[in-house]
Amino acid sequence: MTVSITDVARATGVSASTVSRALRGQPGVSDEVRDRITTIAARLGYTASRSASSLASGRTFTIGVVVPYVGRWFFGTVLDAAERVFSAAGYDVLLYNLGSPETRKRFFTKMPVRKRVDAVLSLLIPDEEESFALRSLGVPLATTVGGPRPGFTVVGIDDHAGTESAVRHLVNLGHRRIGMISGSSGLQHWTTPVERRRAYLDVLADAGIEHDPALEADGDYTVEGGERAMMELLAVSRPPTAVFAQSDEMAMGALRALRRHRLKVPDDVSVVGFDDHELADVIGLTTVAQPVAGQGAEAARLLLRQLDEPEAEPPRHVQMPIRLVLRETTAPPYPRGPQ
Amino acid sequence: MTVSITDVARATGVSASTVSRALRGQPGVSDEVRDRITTIAARLGYTASRSASSLASGRTFTIGVVVPYVGRWFFGTVLDAAERVFSAAGYDVLLYNLGSPETRKRFFTKMPVRKRVDAVLSLLIPDEEESFALRSLGVPLATTVGGPRPGFTVVGIDDHAGTESAVRHLVNLGHRRIGMISGSSGLQHWTTPVERRRAYLDVLADAGIEHDPALEADGDYTVEGGERAMMELLAVSRPPTAVFAQSDEMAMGALRALRRHRLKVPDDVSVVGFDDHELADVIGLTTVAQPVAGQGAEAARLLLRQLDEPEAEPPRHVQMPIRLVLRETTAPPYPRGPQ
DNA sequence: CTGTTAGCGCTTTCAC
DNA sequence: GTGAAAGCGCTAACAG
């Protein structure tokens, strides 16, 4: 039914080994024979069975990519960029979407990637146990989220500096009551919200602004969460005049809440996000831009390099540039700010 | 190094075949032995090599998913939903992101999925040749985009009805100059824009409104494209008082263009989108909602069913419900008409 | 219910 | 430069 390597060998009048060598571009095959084999293989529509060649060689030419939620812009964008790099290098991508706790648990107990992939790119932050499980695969590991982790090549951004630029911008505009909508701080191993919170506190302290815990709310990294969080912040006795949201999606939720409350942005309340979501520009959201696709591509490249040079010491931590993008959701506090 | 089936067999004191049967839940193994094998396999951390079992059985337990652009909300969402269904059923997902023409071409000439997958879900519309290539794989095929195609199970929506509800809504509000921002109409095999355009023309004709070709612009399914298209529409001598965009992303681009031109929505211009993007609600965009995740999940389910019942005649075309969601970007035309 | 025997379709020594 | 032979780790008859 389907054409195998022996079919090609027979049709060309050579052995299977020669066909194998020729098609994989290995040395030790005369140009004449190689050409003939290539032609005939093409004519027959031959494709080597990945299962068979993996079994024989131990190489799978497949990369496992683990994602918390493909549908979310951030992860979709990272995945998109990484996949391009992998496929350009001849690798296939096995996708694992670990949105729910059950799926995630199942993945880490059954480890379906074992013996199936040459490397793993994780877009979720594994806890200690998960991280141990991944290391036990014995393949190169990379991630684009969270801080440095043993065994992983981490491509990230300077969360502290990014947050600092955002909050400092609000301070410079004259705001003193600055709220923060944070990502789910419940997860211990998820360092990003922690890092960003620290920077927020640092800037406040530096500006001599007393920290008010009532001005912090959890937005769960979603639009809805951001909306709820903003409502909470508006309910306190002295609401903030500016809000820093740890992601653009939460910032968008905040904008919606503000609109529902008939509050004008930036006149009544200023909002800064984080990410530079593809739609941030549409909405005119001031935000901290990070190279999302860039991080995915870079992580993929570093993984491929480790596959090419297994001996070399892999880079442990790469930081990509961030920058504050000023748009239309920030202004001095009403009615009298400096300037 | 890595533990194989014979390691488990030896440790349990049975043969490899028995281990294989036991672990795959096949009949013909005593409960006692099965338990022992399961325990020992778990203790040893054994996972069957997919390459080896695929090679031996011919089944890969892998589904190929072909996507034009994972980063785009629509495709990310469909993929997310489909992946959940597949992984819940024990299938892995091989992702092929075919954004650029070169990648796409490479995929269809090399057909890396040959002998690698049990079925294919395509989120891009294959042309005649590509569709032939996919059929030649000899596995079940499904898609969530475009109209009925031989050899494919198509899960879609009624594009004509959806568009009709959107455009009729504008007509009912009293609009007479209704523009349309369409998806890339350049691609022949991409029936969606064609279908939606036909519905647009039908509603106009039905309402006795003469069609003005100057009121149509191409938005390429992107935010930027939508923005450009809106600019074009604003540049004509008598601009539209309402615009129907064939996707929410293009509608968002249109909104941006309008804001730049200091035109109020919906006071000066009404805008309707299509999709019910996750952020449509944030922006207050009136749109035609379609069950995006629902289509992905349904297509995945139908594919799995075909795998379970190879004999049964697969469904050819399934239509999912759509509905018009009224929000804040549509209103009756401004009394004096636009400038 | 369990073990033995052949492969599945490649890659990889090792001869020649 | 090329071929023969021996697996890779599993599953699928076929015995018993």
Side-chain angles (χ1 to χ4, degrees):
Chain A
M1 171 68 219
T2 112
V3 8
S4 82
I5 198 169
T6 44
D7 295 328
V8 179
R10 198 159 24 213
T12 323
V14 296
S15 73
S17 344
T18 305
V19 174
S20 175
R21 277 190 285 259
L23 260 24
R24 282 179 304 140
Q26 285 202 343
V29 181
S30 69
D31 288 351
E32 190 262 329
V33 173
R34 192 188 297 276
D35 282 353
R36 248 181 37 233
I37 292 176
T38 315
T39 316
I40 293 189
R43 180 150 53 71
L44 262 40
Y46 169 72
T47 317
S49 152
R50 273 298 233 287
S51 310
S53 64
S54 300
L55 185 56
S57 70
R59 296 268 279 154
T60 65
F61 282 99
T62 302
I63 310 285
V65 180
V66 179
V67 184
Y69 179 38
V70 209
R72 201 112 87 202
W73 169 78
F74 181 89
F75 299 112
T77 305
V78 173
L79 173 61
D80 185 272
E83 198 278 349
R84 281 162 203 265
V85 173
F86 289 135
S87 76
Y91 284 81
D92 283 341
V93 168
L94 260 182
L95 177 69
Y96 295 91
N97 193 32
L98 271 32
S100 68
E102 309 86 66
T103 340
R104 182 163 180 156
K105 181 150 188 215
R106 181 154 39 100
F107 177 86
F108 283 104
T109 56
K110 303 200 63 174
M111 276 286 156
V113 284
R114 171 153 285 137
K115 305 175 191 173
R116 281 210 80 174
V117 299
D118 291 343
V120 172
L121 172 60
S122 170
L123 304 191
L124 53 76
I125 310 210
D127 61 26
E128 278 311 315
E129 208 172 329
E130 293 168 345
S131 160
F132 177 80
L134 288 175
R135 275 195 300 268
S136 80
L137 294 172
V139 300
L141 266 22
T143 179
T144 60
V145 284
R149 303 195 74 73
F152 285 76
T153 292
V154 179
V155 176
I157 54 166
D158 187 335
D159 279 299
H160 195 284
T163 303
E164 211 176 287
S165 68
V167 182
R168 206 179 288 284
H169 167 57
L170 295 173
V171 168
N172 291 343
L173 284 171
H175 292 276
R176 306 288 294 176
R177 290 196 63 73
I178 301 174
M180 176 167 71
I181 299 177
S182 53
S184 40
S185 38
L187 302 170
Q188 300 300 333
H189 46 283
W190 178 242
T191 60
T192 310
V194 179
E195 202 61 45
R196 294 186 186 171
R197 176 163 191 269
R198 183 162 9 212
Y200 163 75
L201 296 178
D202 287 352
V203 174
L204 292 191
D206 202 59
I209 299 172
E210 199 189 342
H211 169 236
D212 180 352
L215 258 36
E216 284 189 53
D218 199 316
D220 194 36
Y221 279 118
T222 64
V223 175
E224 292 69 31
E227 187 173 5
R228 275 196 310 274
M230 189 69 236
M231 309 265 236
E232 285 177 39
L233 296 183
L234 289 175
V236 307
S237 52
R238 289 177 55 218
T241 61
V243 169
F244 163 62
Q246 289 190 7
S247 83
D248 281 355
E249 273 154 317
M250 294 191 291
M252 291 173 193
L255 291 178
R256 179 160 62 180
L258 289 166
R259 205 178 51 193
R260 296 238 163 113
H261 278 251
R262 306 239 171 278
L263 287 168
K264 289 253 177 276
V265 174
D267 311 21
D268 299 318
V269 180
S270 284
V271 176
V272 189
F274 203 117
D275 281 350
D276 200 23
H277 188 288
E278 58 171 345
L279 295 177
D281 186 33
V282 177
I283 301 176
L285 179 67
T286 292
T287 190
V288 180
Q290 60 166 319
V292 179
Q295 290 175 77
E298 180 63 13
R301 264 182 242 115
L302 292 175
L303 231 27
L304 291 179
R305 187 171 318 158
Q306 287 178 60
L307 257 17
D308 284 345
E309 308 165 11
E311 310 306 329
E313 181 65 19
R316 284 289 147 238
H317 196 202
V318 176
Q319 286 206 338
M320 311 271 296
I322 43 103
R323 69 175 209 288
L324 183 66
V325 180
L326 300 180
R327 285 196 273 247
E328 302 144 42
T329 55
T330 49
Y334 188 75
R336 46 181 163 55
Q339 100 167 42
Chain B
M1 169 70 218
T2 116
V3 11
S4 81
I5 199 170
T6 45
D7 296 327
V8 179
R10 198 158 24 212
T12 323
V14 296
S15 73
S17 345
T18 305
V19 174
S20 174
R21 276 189 288 257
L23 261 24
R24 282 179 304 140
Q26 285 201 347
V29 182
S30 71
D31 288 352
E32 190 262 330
V33 172
R34 192 189 298 275
D35 282 354
R36 251 182 34 234
I37 292 176
T38 316
T39 316
I40 294 188
R43 178 150 55 71
L44 263 41
Y46 169 72
T47 317
S49 152
R50 272 299 231 287
S51 310
S53 66
S54 300
L55 185 55
S57 70
R59 295 268 278 151
T60 65
F61 282 99
T62 302
I63 311 285
V65 180
V66 179
V67 183
Y69 178 41
V70 211
R72 202 112 89 200
W73 169 80
F74 181 90
F75 299 113
T77 304
V78 173
L79 172 61
D80 184 271
E83 198 277 350
R84 281 161 202 265
V85 173
F86 289 135
S87 75
Y91 283 82
D92 283 341
V93 168
L94 261 182
L95 177 70
Y96 295 91
N97 193 30
L98 272 33
S100 69
E102 309 86 66
T103 339
R104 182 164 181 154
K105 181 149 190 211
R106 182 153 39 100
F107 176 85
F108 283 104
T109 55
K110 302 201 63 176
M111 275 286 156
V113 285
R114 172 155 284 136
K115 304 178 192 172
R116 280 212 80 175
V117 299
D118 292 343
V120 173
L121 172 60
S122 169
L123 304 191
L124 53 75
I125 310 210
D127 61 25
E128 278 311 314
E129 209 172 328
E130 293 168 344
S131 162
F132 177 81
L134 287 175
R135 275 195 300 267
S136 80
L137 293 172
V139 301
L141 265 23
T143 179
T144 60
V145 284
R149 302 194 74 74
F152 284 77
T153 292
V154 180
V155 176
I157 53 165
D158 187 335
D159 279 299
H160 195 283
T163 303
E164 211 176 286
S165 67
V167 182
R168 205 178 289 285
H169 167 58
L170 295 173
V171 168
N172 290 344
L173 285 171
H175 292 277
R176 306 287 295 175
R177 290 195 64 76
I178 302 174
M180 177 168 70
I181 299 178
S182 54
S184 40
S185 38
L187 302 168
Q188 299 301 332
H189 46 283
W190 178 242
T191 60
T192 308
V194 178
E195 202 61 45
R196 294 187 185 172
R197 175 163 192 270
R198 179 156 18 202
Y200 163 75
L201 296 178
D202 286 353
V203 173
L204 292 189
D206 201 57
I209 300 171
E210 200 188 342
H211 170 236
D212 180 352
L215 259 34
E216 283 188 54
D218 199 317
D220 195 35
Y221 280 118
T222 65
V223 175
E224 292 69 32
E227 187 172 5
R228 275 196 309 274
M230 189 70 237
M231 310 262 238
E232 283 178 41
L233 296 183
L234 290 175
V236 308
S237 52
R238 289 179 54 217
T241 62
V243 170
F244 164 62
Q246 288 189 8
S247 83
D248 281 355
E249 273 155 317
M250 293 191 291
M252 291 173 193
L255 292 177
R256 179 159 62 182
L258 290 165
R259 207 179 49 192
R260 296 236 163 113
H261 278 250
R262 307 239 172 278
L263 287 167
K264 289 252 175 277
V265 175
D267 311 20
D268 298 320
V269 181
S270 284
V271 175
V272 189
F274 204 116
D275 281 349
D276 199 23
H277 189 286
E278 58 171 346
L279 295 177
D281 186 33
V282 177
I283 301 177
L285 179 67
T286 292
T287 190
V288 180
Q290 61 166 318
V292 179
Q295 290 174 76
E298 181 63 13
R301 265 182 241 115
L302 293 175
L303 230 28
L304 291 179
R305 188 170 317 159
Q306 286 178 61
L307 255 18
D308 284 345
E309 307 166 9
E311 309 306 328
E313 180 66 19
R316 284 288 147 241
H317 196 202
V318 175
Q319 285 207 338
M320 310 272 294
I322 43 105
R323 70 174 207 289
L324 183 66
V325 180
L326 300 180
R327 285 195 273 246
E328 302 143 40
T329 55
T330 49
Y334 193 70
R336 300 166 314 186
Q339 305 283 60

